């Protein structure tokens, strides 16, 4: 089946360092969403990207969708302890199919 | 709205027992999804419903798993008999789809049920 590959699986950073997680698909995506799951919590929607080459920002978070709509990234500038959690990308291969979730990147921030 | 409500939050059961997980989607949402989350496999889609009708259950791992949605405000996921390898966090999510954009809509997750089968 279709898969969305996400790397790295884990990332440990010092507070204040930057963090990036990447998602890749072998086939073109219709759109991609990003979710955050705090430890012990549930996935919470962050953002959706639809257009080729799209870039969106939410404060210290920058989301990009590749030109070929096969990859995406989430970059956090100057991480804080509140950024701790697992970040998931979720892609859709057509408008009428459910999201396919990546396995997530677990971020630890050391104060 | 209170969001997607799942019960119980935690369930510990013995191998061979029947387990029933419950979900109340957000009122008015027309799609409901059941996911299983493990460290090894991440978030796996088990089954989803549209207007209470099961659409795709290809993610259900075995016949021991079954899901129902008797009405728009309630769904169950049943495991009978349960096995230790079923231990995981089970999430229910609901969405409101506008037109045909099933994959283009924000999913709202419940708090999850942490199942431990011993």
């Amino acid at each position: 089946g279709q898969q969305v590959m996400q790397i790295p699986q884990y990332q440990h950073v010092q507070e204040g360092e930057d963090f990036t997680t990447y998602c890749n698909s072998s086939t073109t995506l219709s759109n991609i969403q990003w979710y955050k799951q705090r430890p012990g919590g549930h996935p919470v929607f962050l953002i959706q990207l639809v257009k080729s080459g799209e870039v969106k920002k939410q404060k210290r978070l920058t989301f990009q969708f590749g030109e070929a709509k096969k990859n995406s990234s989430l970059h956090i500038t100057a991480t804080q302890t509140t950024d701790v959690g697992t970040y998931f990308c979720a892609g859709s291969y057509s408008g009428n199919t459910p999201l396919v979730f990546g396995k997530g990147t677990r971020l630890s921030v050391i104060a | 709205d209170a969001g997607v409500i799942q019960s119980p939050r935690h369930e510990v059961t013995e191998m061979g027992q029947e387990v029933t997980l419950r979900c109340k989607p957000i009122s008015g949402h027309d799609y409901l999804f059941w996911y299983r989350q493990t460290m090894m496999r991440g978030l796996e889609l088990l089954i989803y419903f549209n207007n209470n009708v099961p659409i795709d259950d290809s993610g259900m791992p075995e016949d021991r798993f079954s899901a129902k949605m008797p009405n728009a405000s309630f769904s169950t996921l049943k495991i009978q008999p349960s096995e230790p390898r079923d231990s995981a966090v089970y999430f229910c999510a609901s969405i409101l789809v506008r037109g045909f954009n099933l994959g283009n809509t924000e999913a709202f997750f419940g708090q999850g049920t942490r199942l431990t089968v011993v």
Side-chain angles (χ1 to χ4, degrees):
Chain A
Q2 288 152 333
Q3 285 186 314
V4 175
M5 306 303 293
Q6 192 172 354
I7 57 170
Q9 188 175 359
Y10 301 96
Q11 184 83 60
H12 306 279
V13 300
Q14 288 284 137
E15 191 173 20
E17 290 182 340
D18 292 355
F19 159 77
T20 305
T21 173
Y22 302 90
C23 272
N24 289 286
S25 170
S26 59
T27 53
T28 302
L29 294 162
S30 171
N31 57 274
I32 196 158
Q33 297 181 4
W34 286 91
Y35 290 76
K36 177 182 178 182
Q37 182 178 18
R38 294 183 185 276
H42 58 282
V44 175
F45 175 83
L46 293 176
I47 207 161
Q48 175 168 274
L49 305 171
V50 179
K51 300 177 183 176
S52 168
E54 190 170 12
V55 178
K56 288 188 176 180
K57 292 189 176 184
Q58 288 180 350
K59 296 182 180 179
R60 296 177 293 103
L61 277 62
T62 301
F63 304 83
Q64 291 188 315
F65 202 8
E67 293 289 342
K69 300 183 71 173
K70 289 184 178 181
N71 58 75
S72 181
S73 65
L74 157 59
H75 179 83
I76 303 178
T77 304
T79 55
Q80 300 175 358
T81 54
T82 53
D83 296 325
V84 164
T86 301
Y87 292 84
F88 293 94
C89 60
S92 176
Y93 290 90
S94 77
N96 206 31
T97 56
L99 294 168
V100 176
F101 280 81
K103 287 192 175 182
T105 297
R106 181 178 291 182
L107 172 64
S108 299
V109 179
I110 305 165
Chain B
D1 200 313
V4 177
I5 300 173
Q6 290 187 245
S7 64
R9 290 293 309 278
H10 303 273
E11 177 80 35
V12 180
T13 190
E14 291 185 345
M15 182 174 61
Q17 295 297 306
E18 177 181 296
V19 175
T20 300
L21 312 181
R22 297 172 176 78
C23 175
K24 181 181 186 312
I26 292 174
S27 177
H29 281 195
D30 51 0
Y31 278 81
L32 182 141
F33 301 81
W34 281 100
Y35 290 91
R36 178 172 68 176
Q37 185 176 40
T38 61
M39 289 297 296
M40 288 293 293
R41 295 177 174 267
L43 267 170
E44 299 175 274
L45 177 61
L46 300 177
I47 185 171
Y48 71 98
F49 296 83
N50 174 219
N51 292 325
N52 315 339
V53 176
I55 303 301
D56 186 351
D57 66 353
S58 60
M60 297 286 258
E62 300 172 36
D63 291 344
R64 297 184 295 107
F65 286 70
S66 63
K68 294 182 180 179
M69 193 165 185
N71 57 62
S73 59
F74 184 65
S75 177
T76 60
L77 177 68
K78 186 177 293 186
I79 308 172
Q80 165 63 20
S82 58
E83 296 182 4
R85 60 195 168 116
D86 301 331
S87 298
V89 180
Y90 291 81
F91 286 105
C92 173
S94 70
I95 63 175
L96 174 61
V97 174
R98 297 170 179 83
F100 296 103
N101 296 323
L102 174 56
N104 199 23
T105 307
E106 173 185 353
F108 293 82
F109 284 80
Q111 301 279 4
T113 295
R114 182 174 294 277
L115 174 65
T116 302
V117 183
V118 296

